């Protein structure tokens, strides 16, 4: 029996958060510009991943009953996982907060409609060879897609269009960064990403929030720049710009 706990004197070193690899907007523009030459399921995967921020397992777990075409909503209710022992199997979401509903723009909903039509035609063409399971992302015969498949496609696609490959998860980070830089508050970003606690969002994207706070400082400085001008310039600026700002 120990009379004292030696672990009380142990201090775990703080892990340094590495900056996330994210596609630039120019790189995304290139990815989008060449998508029409790719199979429609991969067109949908790439665009939906960026617009939604869903995890890869959540993307592959989507079923057609999760798509609310009337209200432009997508429900995240399950995930698709893989292990060597089990193969591909359906699982619950990562956390309770990961079960969520996301509003989608028209460009995504239109692509979903086109892809559903294409998938239905292909299922009829294959007849009994098609395995019906209601999944959006499938193999050639309708069985659930292997989680490694989107990774391999994106890596190859980036090579074909001359964009540096970062990682399949970078699409999710891109979604988060776009929200943050557009001024969406951390609580809304956390809910959108399906994080169970706010601290996860802050830890993962702390450097991005710091950058937006720096822009806040610049914005308030610009708004109050008259404070650093001579009195004559301030008077002239207020007389000439104040009426425009306040509609007089």
């Amino acid at each position: 029996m120990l009379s004292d706990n030696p672990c009380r004197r142990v201090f775990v070193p703080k892990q340094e958060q590495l900056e996330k690899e994210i596609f630039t907007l120019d790189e995304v523009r290139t990815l989008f510009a060449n998508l029409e030459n790719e199979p429609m399921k991969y067109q949908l995967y790439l665009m939906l991943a960026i617009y939604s921020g869903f995890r890869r397992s959540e993307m592959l777990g989507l079923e057609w009953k999760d798509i609310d075409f009337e209200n432009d909503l997508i429900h995240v209710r399950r995930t698709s996982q893989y292990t060597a022992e089990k193969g591909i199997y359906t699982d619950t979401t990562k956390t309770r907060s990961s079960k969520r509903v996301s509003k989608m723009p028209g460009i995504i909903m239109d692509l979903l409609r086109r892809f559903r039509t294409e998938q239905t035609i292909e299922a009829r063409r294959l007849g009994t060879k098609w395995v019906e399971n209601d999944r959006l992302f499938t193999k050639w015969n309708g069985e659930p897609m292997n989680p490694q498949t989107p990774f391999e496609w994106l890596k190859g696609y980036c090579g074909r269009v001359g964009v540096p490959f970062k990682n399949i998860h970078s699409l999710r980070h891109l979604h988060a960064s776009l929200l943050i830089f557009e001024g969406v508050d951390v609580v809304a970003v956390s809910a959108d990403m399906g994080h169970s606690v706010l601290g996860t969002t802050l830890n993962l994207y702390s450097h991005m929030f710091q950058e937006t706070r720096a822009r806040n400082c610049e914005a308030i400085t610009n708004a109050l720049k008259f404070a650093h001008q001579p009195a004559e310039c301030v008077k002239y600026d207020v007389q000439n710009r104040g009426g425009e700002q306040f509609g007089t």
Side-chain angles (χ1 to χ4, degrees), residues 11 115 122 127 183 207 227:
F11 294 93
F115 180 58
E122 182 64 10
H207 64 287

Side-chain angles (χ1 to χ4, degrees), residues 52-234:
S52 69
F54 295 160
R55 300 175 178 90
R56 172 170 43 174
S57 59
E58 294 170 345
M59 293 275 290
L60 298 183
L62 288 175
E63 298 180 359
W64 287 111
K65 60 176 156 291
D66 302 323
I67 314 300
D68 182 348
F69 285 102
E70 184 176 345
N71 299 298
D72 299 341
L73 301 173
I74 297 182
H75 297 256
V76 175
R77 296 182 170 115
R78 74 195 69 74
T79 63
S80 185
Q81 308 285 354
Y82 172 86
T83 63
E85 296 77 20
K86 293 184 178 180
I88 301 172
Y89 66 97
T90 300
D91 201 358
T92 58
T93 54
K94 189 175 182 180
T95 64
R96 183 179 298 179
S97 300
S98 296
K99 277 192 173 182
R100 58 200 187 279
V101 182
S102 295
K103 182 81 171 179
M104 288 293 122
I107 187 174
I108 294 297
M109 300 310 296
D110 289 343
L111 190 55
L112 280 165
R113 290 185 182 92
R114 288 168 51 205
F115 180 58
R116 183 174 62 170
T117 300
E118 180 185 274
Q119 192 181 80
T120 301
I121 292 172
E122 182 64 10
R124 289 172 181 169
R125 188 185 71 83
L126 288 175
T128 56
K129 292 181 180 179
W130 181 264
V131 180
E132 185 58 55
N133 58 48
D134 202 41
R135 288 289 169 88
L136 271 68
F137 299 103
T138 68
K139 299 178 182 178
W140 67 273
N141 63 347
E143 292 180 352
M145 181 183 285
N146 189 296
Q148 188 65 15
T149 301
F151 177 93
E152 296 297 340
W153 170 80
L154 182 60
K155 186 176 181 180
Y157 179 57
C158 286
R160 289 192 293 276
V161 299
V163 170
F165 174 67
K166 282 157 186 169
N167 192 293
I168 195 76
H169 207 62
S170 65
L171 302 176
R172 178 168 160 83
H173 294 319
L174 172 63
H175 174 85
S177 69
L178 292 174
L179 293 180
I180 293 167
F181 286 113
E182 284 297 317
V184 179
D185 68 89
V186 63
V187 176
V189 173
S190 184
D192 186 79
M193 299 295 285
H195 292 154
S196 57
V197 293
L198 198 63
T200 301
T201 312
L202 289 169
N203 289 335
L204 284 173
Y205 305 108
S206 60
H207 64 287
M208 297 179 189
F209 283 109
Q210 288 169 4
E211 288 180 29
T212 57
R213 283 195 291 270
R215 293 210 310 275
N216 291 344
C217 175
E218 183 180 348
I220 196 67
T221 301
N222 289 335
L224 299 175
K225 63 182 178 182
F226 63 81
H228 307 285
Q229 297 174 348
E232 293 79 6
C233 294
V234 173

Side-chain angles (χ1 to χ4, degrees), residues 1-7 9:
M1 298 285 292
L2 293 176
S3 59
D4 182 49
N5 182 3
C7 291
R9 294 181 291 277

Side-chain angles (χ1 to χ4, degrees), residues 20-76:
K20 307 299 180 189
E21 283 194 320
I22 301 173
F23 289 106
T24 66
L25 289 182
D26 283 340
E27 289 169 347
V28 173
R29 189 176 294 111
T30 300
L31 292 174
F32 281 3
N34 295 276
L35 264 182
E36 61 182 15
N37 300 318
E38 298 297 313
M40 193 174 293
K41 65 180 175 182
Y42 295 124
Q43 294 182 38
L44 175 61
Y45 187 95
L46 178 67
M47 295 190 67
L48 181 56
I50 294 174
Y51 274 91
S52 69
F54 295 160
R55 300 175 178 90
R56 172 170 43 174
S57 59
E58 294 170 345
M59 293 275 290
L60 298 183
L62 288 175
E63 298 180 359
W64 287 111
K65 60 176 156 291
D66 302 323
I67 314 300
D68 182 348
F69 285 102
E70 184 176 345
N71 299 298
D72 299 341
L73 301 173
I74 297 182
H75 297 256
V76 175

